[in-house]
Amino acid sequence: MVTPDRDLLIDHFESRAREAPDWAFLRFVGETPGEDVELTYGAADLQASDYARALLTAGAQRGDRVGLLMRNSPDWLLWYFACQKIGVGLCALNPDLLEQELSDLIQRGALAILIAAPELYPMARLLKDAVPTVRILGVELGDEVESVAALAGVDAGQALSRDSDIRPTDTLSVVFTSGTTSARSKGVIEPIGSIVRGVRAYQTQLRFTQQDLLMLVTPLFHAAALNWGVTLAVLAGATIVLAPRFSASRFWAQAARGGCTVLWTMGAVVQILLLQAPSAAERAALARLRLVFGVGAGARHHQARERWQVELVDGYGSSETPGTLTDSSCFEQPDPFPCVGRPVAGVELRIVDPESGAECAPRQRGEIVARFGQGFGGYLGDAQATREAVRDGWFHTGDLAYVDDDGRFYFVDRLKDIIRRGGENLSAREIEQAIARHPAVAEATVVPKPHPVLGEVVAAFVVPRDSSVAPSLPELRSFCAAHLPAFKWPEALQVVAMDDLPRTPTGRVRKFMLKQRLRAEAGLPT
């Protein structure tokens, strides 16, 4: 059994493997039934043990960080727990980023080892050229890629217990999120103990047990899937149902094959599913589904309950900290802004004045701050960003909100200059810099535009150098392809004159006014 003073996520994983080795740890539901894979806790522990041995043979030591370049797959999770066995922090990389972005993350993370999926070997080789010091490991032997089987050694196939020196303050993972004050992503360090403490309250409030099957369709390099979803399932000794990616046309068939009881996802996924026509596969999956957790899905509560007859839960949180969890009373509030619930046990949130830091009165708008130490352990290799975000023991989220007399939080807007597109946090400055490279563009300003499915999309206000040759949206998107991955391209464009942009006395664009204009055009409160 796991003792309270050694409450590490890997302890729960290994304990489950010893006590219930035949219990299903993972049901991977592929794009077709022939691609489905099921792993028990016992089998997963043995495979993770071999991966841990391979890392040790490759030179990994407790306290090191390794990168994982892989899309959702059984191996993703096996490597995650392999790293925990030896006290290595896993840096979760987005495989859809460009080579330059990935090489920057590898260098900033000081990664000595990069684990690559076979289909991403070509990118891994390019990264090796860019960062010669990194060592490439893969689950299959490829050109210039070291075979894990060869590195596992003579003890392959035997369970390896985790390093006894690992402590709750050690790094569990590093999740890279888009920058808010610069174009560079920040590496959010997740200590093992903080994640376990924060997510345990969700387990209690959601009545989550080992009988549940939690389905994940969003990328594992996202905090919501990895830090919340995976942790919740393993703490309960439950089963993870994992899809390679979200597909509206395949989702319900995959959910039915996986037998999921809980869907853990983003609001955009909930909205897309509600737009689909009812099907036999949907009815089959709903026979077991009891709960949907969708970040930002609260506005669709009534629609989801009416169609699916399941409980819908919303909440507030970030890569840096766990946060609130809604209850049914939140969805009935008359406020124009979404209620995201009360803080879960063990999480302390406040609303403070962004300028003075003084705590705000009920219904007074201010910034959400979280007690530091409840969530992340700072930003990887960026002490200045950590100092800016953490002041007097509180993490400043950059999010504008208010709290009512009953302790419910209401999210209003983001102080940070980010755009949240379907769960991705996009840096406006990064996109502006890419657009500004276009030879016909004199100035570019990027703000979020409300979207009924994705939540927000990228809207660009462009001042052309010559009004007669202003770029079109298709032309601008094509130009951005050389500088940005597709999910960061602008999806709305307004060509404006220099004097048409609202500005401060010092010439800076008043972005909040552009945001209000777009919200008003969408019929939303400003």
Side-chain angles (χ1 to χ4, degrees):
M1 297 294 292
V2 178
T3 58
D5 61 325
R6 306 296 291 157
D7 196 8
L8 310 183
L9 186 59
I10 186 62
D11 291 335
H12 290 267
F13 176 76
E14 291 185 350
S15 175
R16 190 65 168 158
R18 289 191 303 269
E19 297 168 10
D22 296 328
W23 196 269
F25 162 67
L26 173 68
R27 289 182 181 175
F28 181 76
V29 285
E31 296 185 354
T32 65
E35 298 173 356
D36 292 357
V37 175
E38 180 164 322
L39 276 175
T40 65
Y41 271 88
D45 185 52
L46 293 179
Q47 188 64 67
S49 295
D50 283 353
Y51 287 180
R53 291 188 183 93
L55 287 171
L56 290 172
T57 304
Q61 302 179 43
R62 180 186 167 216
D64 286 347
R65 292 181 294 272
V66 304
L68 184 62
L69 189 66
M70 189 175 292
R71 295 185 173 86
N72 285 8
S73 67
D75 275 320
W76 209 112
L77 291 173
L78 295 173
W79 280 111
Y80 182 50
F81 286 97
C83 288
Q84 293 178 53
K85 283 179 175 290
I86 60 175
V88 167
L90 184 142
C91 293
L93 303 175
N94 179 353
D96 291 326
L97 293 178
L98 302 178
E99 175 195 345
Q100 183 177 352
E101 294 174 294
L102 288 169
S103 62
D104 174 64
L105 298 182
I106 290 171
Q107 292 179 80
R108 278 200 283 141
L111 307 184
I113 298 173
L114 178 66
I115 305 160
E119 69 273 14
L120 292 167
Y121 286 168
M123 174 60 80
R125 294 188 190 100
L126 293 176
L127 295 172
K128 174 71 173 178
D129 291 339
V131 190
T133 55
V134 73
R135 190 171 182 178
I136 309 295
L137 303 186
V139 292
E140 293 180 6
L141 185 62
D143 184 26
E144 299 180 14
V145 178
E146 294 185 85
S147 167
V148 170
L151 293 170
V154 296
D155 293 326
Q158 300 181 43
L160 174 70
S161 298
R162 63 99 165 163
D163 187 331
S164 60
D165 289 332
I166 299 172
R167 297 292 181 267
T169 52
D170 286 354
T171 298
L172 173 69
S173 63
V174 177
V175 175
F176 289 98
T177 186
S178 298
T180 56
T181 58
S182 71
R184 300 181 77 193
S185 297
K186 294 176 182 176
V188 179
I189 301 173
E190 307 286 358
I192 305 169
S194 297
I195 293 299
V196 171
R197 288 195 304 271
V199 174
R200 189 177 296 286
Y202 286 81
Q203 180 184 348
T204 301
Q205 291 193 232
L206 298 177
R207 305 179 302 281
F208 198 86
T209 74
Q210 65 184 26
Q211 302 297 329
D212 277 306
L213 294 94
L214 183 146
M215 186 169 185
L216 300 171
V217 296
T218 51
L220 287 170
F221 57 76
H222 279 182
L226 183 63
N227 295 333
W228 292 12
V230 172
T231 302
L232 177 61
V234 173
L235 287 180
T239 301
I240 298 168
V241 179
L242 180 67
R245 63 186 180 89
F246 172 65
S247 166
S249 62
R250 287 187 287 267
F251 172 81
W252 288 115
Q254 291 170 315
R257 297 203 310 270
C260 74
T261 62
V262 174
L263 171 60
W264 197 271
T265 190
M266 311 298 293
V269 170
V270 174
Q271 172 68 353
I272 291 170
L273 292 175
L274 288 170
L275 292 173
Q276 304 302 304
S279 65
E282 178 179 344
R283 290 189 292 273
L286 291 175
R288 296 204 62 186
L289 190 67
R290 70 171 183 87
L291 172 71
V292 174
F293 178 88
V295 179
R300 298 163 184 102
H301 167 70
H302 292 293
Q303 188 180 1
R305 284 294 299 267
E306 180 179 351
R307 175 164 170 175
W308 296 335
Q309 299 297 303
V310 299
E311 181 181 1
L312 178 70
V313 177
D314 195 352
Y316 168 82
S318 67
S319 299
E320 289 88 347
T321 181
T324 67
L325 186 67
T326 55
D327 54 33
S328 58
S329 67
C330 283
F331 298 121
E332 307 303 329
Q333 299 304 308
D335 295 63
F337 294 98
C339 175
V340 293
R342 300 175 178 88
V344 297
V347 172
E348 187 177 356
L349 301 179
R350 298 168 62 188
I351 305 289
V352 302
D353 182 276
E355 299 298 328
S356 68
E359 187 165 5
C360 294
R363 297 200 174 276
Q364 178 185 354
R365 295 183 185 183
E367 183 182 14
I368 299 176
V369 296
R371 178 78 69 180
F372 186 61
Q374 296 170 155
F376 80 134
Y379 294 116
L380 178 66
D382 200 335
Q384 180 178 347
T386 303
R387 286 193 297 270
E388 292 172 354
V390 182
R391 302 191 292 278
D392 298 323
W394 292 86
F395 167 64
H396 288 249
T397 66
D399 291 334
L400 190 68
Y402 60 90
V403 64
D404 66 16
D405 292 317
D406 294 319
R408 302 183 191 91
F409 280 68
Y410 297 79
F411 178 79
V412 176
D413 201 352
R414 280 175 289 282
L415 297 172
K416 296 178 179 180
D417 196 11
I418 61 175
I419 299 165
R420 183 165 294 174
R421 180 189 183 277
E424 292 282 355
N425 288 339
L426 312 183
S427 165
R429 181 179 177 186
E430 178 186 21
I431 301 170
E432 288 167 351
Q433 290 173 338
I435 295 174
R437 295 181 183 182
H438 193 289
V441 172
E443 182 179 5
T445 300
V446 165
V447 296
K449 177 181 179 180
H451 189 278
V453 174
L454 298 174
E456 295 174 351
V457 294
V458 176
F461 290 79
V462 168
V463 177
R465 296 185 183 277
D466 184 340
S467 59
S468 64
V469 290
S472 65
L473 181 59
E475 179 185 351
L476 205 58
R477 286 170 60 85
S478 177
F479 177 82
C480 286
H483 308 288
L484 300 168
F487 62 84
K488 297 183 181 181
W489 299 350
E491 297 179 62
L493 171 66
Q494 291 192 31
V495 177
V496 296
M498 188 74 72
D499 294 340
D500 288 340
L501 291 173
R503 299 179 184 274
T504 67
T506 58
R508 299 183 64 184
V509 176
R510 296 181 184 269
K511 287 192 171 184
F512 78 92
M513 297 180 68
L514 298 178
K515 295 179 185 179
Q516 288 179 334
R517 183 191 306 178
L518 294 176
R519 289 183 63 85
E521 290 174 359
L524 298 174
T526 60

